[in-house]
Amino acid sequence: MARVRGLETLEPAYDAWLELRRAYAASHARFQEERERLEQQGSFLVGAVRAASQERAASAEPAPAAEPALAPVDAPMRDFLRQAEEKLTRARETLAKDEAESEARYQAAFEEIRSTLRDRVRRYLAGSPPRLRLLLRKVGATRAILHLERVSGDAPVLLLYLFAGRIPSRHGFLFDDSTEDVSLSPAPFYPEEGVVPGEVRPEAPALVARVLAPGEVLPVKGFLPVFVPRPEGGEDFFRLLQRGPVMEVEVAEGPGFRGVLTREESERFAGHLLRLKLEGKLELEVEAG
């Protein structure tokens, strides 16, 4: 947190945020391991006491009345078990208290980082709007492919906030083409900030729903989301998918995305960026080829 407060740039704050997430995961694992250890210890003690009672009962001299003969033997075991359980209960309570305090500290640190990043992104957008260069490539008379030149530095973070009103969970999200399975293309989401591992590759409708879901952080990976209004009402969902030196504009269609746009779609997308330019929110250059 000292690094976050001391430096006004975005990338070091994101680095600190990533380190904090790793430390939080390690802390959570340690508490879970300690809970399991205490549970194992309690189960082991109960089993040991049961075994000892059975052994002592088996070795005791036969008596006419079973209960009186067993009572003196069981009483010390019950006392031992009670004392052990009381000790374990105190240990569990202490662990729960420590875990709650640790959770509160981590959540306060997470909130401070997110708030700091939001404030900086807003200032950067107001003071130095990102610059985009839109490239039109015609495909026949009525179709087109739109590319945007690759952006760098803090621009992806600023553009995500401009387009979706949220900050990304990682600074280098747009250029991350890593995949956990070489047989699969890179996932569009990181498994964090509410996204579980099984949800990192949703179809287009679920992807749009995730982008629209409430929250201040969006764990996107490899793309930028853009909502473009329709003249008759509603919106179309476009994504800027990072492809080497360019970002390719795709529109959601059914369960997937389409990269070849109609003339109307390409004009509306370009018009949306032009409106943002006229409002002073970004710098835009358009080139038709």
Side-chain angles (χ1 to χ4, degrees), residues 31-175:
F31 281 115
Q32 179 64 25
E33 182 180 345
E34 182 62 15
R35 280 195 301 272
E36 291 174 355
R37 188 188 69 80
L38 291 175
E39 290 302 320
Q40 183 181 34
Q41 184 176 347
S43 176
F44 177 78
L45 285 172
V46 170
V49 168
R50 184 185 299 112
S53 296
Q54 291 171 347
E55 182 177 333
R56 294 184 66 176
S59 63
E61 291 293 332
E67 287 298 326
L70 286 176
V73 175
D74 287 347
M77 291 298 174
R78 286 197 298 269
D79 290 342
F80 174 82
L81 181 60
R82 177 181 53 78
Q83 293 170 8
E85 287 178 337
E86 289 175 353
K87 183 177 179 180
L88 283 171
T89 298
R90 290 193 297 271
R92 292 190 187 101
E93 290 172 349
T94 299
L95 180 65
K97 179 175 179 292
D98 292 345
E99 185 173 17
E101 292 174 351
S102 174
E103 180 72 17
R105 288 193 300 270
Y106 274 110
Q107 292 306 323
F110 283 134
E111 178 54 35
E112 182 177 348
I113 285 181
R114 289 191 292 263
S115 177
T116 299
L117 283 169
R118 284 196 311 272
D119 291 343
R120 289 181 187 175
V121 167
R122 289 171 184 150
R123 290 202 310 270
Y124 283 27
L125 272 173
S128 182
R131 183 180 298 274
L132 291 177
R133 187 162 181 256
L134 182 64
L135 310 171
L136 171 65
R137 301 291 182 256
K138 289 185 177 181
V139 181
T142 60
R143 302 280 176 172
I145 293 175
L146 291 182
H147 287 159
L148 287 156
E149 280 192 349
R150 180 186 176 108
V151 294
S152 60
D154 295 331
V157 178
L158 304 184
L159 287 168
L160 180 64
Y161 193 84
L162 177 62
F163 293 147
R166 296 165 72 179
I167 59 173
S169 59
R170 305 197 188 192
H171 186 269
F173 74 97
L174 188 58
F175 314 115

Side-chain angles (χ1 to χ4, degrees), residues 238-257:
F238 292 79
R239 70 176 181 181
L240 311 184
L241 190 64
Q242 180 62 42
R243 293 188 184 278
V246 298
M247 295 181 288
E248 185 167 322
V249 180
E250 297 182 338
V251 64
E253 184 177 68
F257 289 85

Side-chain angles (χ1 to χ4, degrees), residues 157-228:
V157 178
L158 304 184
L159 287 168
L160 180 64
Y161 193 84
L162 177 62
F163 293 147
R166 296 165 72 179
I167 59 173
S169 59
R170 305 197 188 192
H171 186 269
F173 74 97
L174 188 58
F175 314 115
D176 188 351
D177 60 358
S178 62
T179 178
E180 76 285 3
D181 186 337
V182 295
S183 67
L184 298 173
S185 59
F189 289 112
Y190 291 105
E192 57 197 24
E193 299 293 333
V195 177
V196 299
E199 298 175 345
V200 297
R201 285 186 174 82
E203 293 186 341
L207 185 148
V208 174
R210 173 66 65 178
V211 174
L212 287 172
E216 55 192 4
V217 181
L218 191 60
V220 293
K221 178 172 176 278
F223 80 99
L224 285 164
V226 184
F227 290 93
V228 177

